[in-house]
Amino acid sequence: QVQLVESGGGSVQSGGSLRLSCAFSGYLYSNYCMGWFRQAPGKEREWLATIDTNNWTTYADSVKGRFAVSRNDAERTLYLQMNSLQPEDTASYYCAAAPIQLDYRCLSYRYWGQGTQVTVSS
């Protein structure tokens, strides 16, 4: 059973930075692609970034150049460094885990955390 717990959210002024963490419990963390999503009130969930088991990363255009995803497989932790935060980044942020198939490509996200709130004031 995989469980994900996010932390590191909070309130910050425009232009500030935050670093989110996602602690993974369960087996074989290194066999999962990991991703970050967010959801603002009244909006659909938005994919932000993925890091696969080879540490290859992909980003949504909305955060490319400002956010950076990383993982520490020894500590079974996922990170999201968020810089140059803007009020439109205000949302609940979620981490998710996707198992990999035999060719190491990511399958659909299967496990989700409960989220951590990020609020950016102008």
Side-chain angles (χ1 to χ4, degrees):
Q1 180 74 10
V2 171
Q3 291 186 323
L4 303 173
V5 179
E6 302 93 340
S7 61
S11 297
V12 64
Q13 290 191 329
S14 180
S17 298
L18 282 174
R19 188 193 196 201
L20 304 184
S21 300
C22 171
F24 175 105
S25 62
Y27 293 106
L28 299 175
Y29 171 72
S30 59
N31 281 9
Y32 285 89
C33 295
M34 300 298 296
W36 286 99
F37 294 75
R38 68 186 178 190
Q39 188 166 21
K43 294 188 177 181
E44 294 188 353
R45 185 172 59 198
E46 176 188 14
W47 167 77
L48 301 177
T50 295
I51 183 167
D52 71 7
T53 56
N54 290 309
N55 284 317
W56 292 342
T57 57
T58 53
Y59 296 92
D61 288 343
S62 60
V63 303
K64 195 176 296 182
R66 299 190 300 127
F67 290 10
V69 60
S70 61
R71 63 190 294 166
N72 184 321
D73 286 1
E75 295 181 356
R76 300 196 295 176
T77 304
L78 175 74
Y79 299 99
L80 184 68
Q81 178 66 43
M82 305 186 295
N83 299 324
S84 301
L85 284 163
Q86 300 300 317
E88 53 265 35
D89 294 315
T90 295
S92 292
Y93 283 70
Y94 301 87
C95 63
I100 57 173
Q101 54 189 30
L102 291 177
D103 61 358
Y104 298 97
R105 284 190 292 179
C106 306
L107 295 170
S108 298
Y109 287 97
R110 184 178 298 177
Y111 303 103
W112 296 83
Q114 293 299 306
T116 186
Q117 178 67 34
V118 172
T119 302
V120 185
S121 58
S122 57

